[in-house]
Amino acid sequence: MRLYIQNQIKNLALKGYGYKRIADILDLSPNTVKSHLRRHPATAGISVCLQCGKPIEQNPGRKEKKYCSDKCRMAYWNSHQDEVNKQAYYTLICQHCGKEFVSYGNKNRKYCCRDCYAAARRKAA
């Protein structure tokens, strides 16, 4: 069995899925899943990285880790752009040129680009 499939089985088992549900998701036989999990039991205190499947030890009393490193976290989100819930879009008007622009995550922006910012600074001085 490929390492990727093994990691997927372990990850789904850690999330609480049963043999049949894991088998349906991964298009495998329930007996294959069952025998793999019996040979390689998923440990309760350890979860696996969503990107690479490496085991991650959780720190008690802290937020659950989902990725083993920043590299894996960024790789995962770059490959799953459709899952990102982007709600912080703001439509603003540039104070220099008057053009309407969209800003993500910063509702206090004044200029649409660096050129307008620089032109406004030159004009003020």
Side-chain angles (χ1 to χ4, degrees):
M1 205 179 319
R2 292 188 356 229
L3 184 61
Y4 177 76
I5 302 265
Q6 292 173 353
N7 288 333
Q8 290 291 96
I9 291 172
K10 184 183 274 188
N11 195 14
L12 292 169
L14 287 170
K15 289 181 180 177
Y17 292 111
Y19 301 137
K20 185 166 177 20
R21 181 105 187 260
I22 294 171
D24 289 343
I25 292 170
L26 299 177
D27 196 30
L28 298 169
S29 160
N31 288 332
T32 303
V33 174
K34 188 182 223 181
S35 64
H36 176 76
L37 288 174
R38 284 189 177 167
R39 281 183 274 123
H40 307 92
T43 311
I46 297 176
S47 58
V48 293
C49 177
L50 293 177
Q51 176 66 18
C52 67
K54 288 182 184 176
I56 305 170
E57 287 195 39
Q58 300 296 335
N59 297 326
R62 298 192 104 170
K63 184 179 173 185
E64 179 187 356
K65 294 180 189 177
K66 295 182 181 180
Y67 310 98
C68 63
S69 65
D70 285 337
K71 182 180 174 185
C72 278
R73 179 180 52 81
M74 288 186 282
Y76 180 84
W77 284 113
N78 285 334
S79 64
H80 293 84
Q81 288 286 323
D82 55 323
E83 295 177 24
V84 178
N85 187 11
K86 295 181 180 178
Q87 295 180 346
Y89 280 110
Y90 301 101
T91 303
L92 306 169
I93 297 174
C94 179
Q95 289 184 1
H96 179 71
C97 67
K99 184 175 87 174
E100 192 174 276
F101 66 98
V102 177
S103 172
Y104 179 71
N106 185 356
K107 61 182 172 188
N108 298 319
R109 277 185 59 183
K110 296 179 182 180
Y111 307 105
C112 62
C113 61
R114 280 196 70 76
D115 291 337
C116 283
Y117 167 74
R121 296 268 305 191
R122 282 191 300 270
K123 193 177 195 180

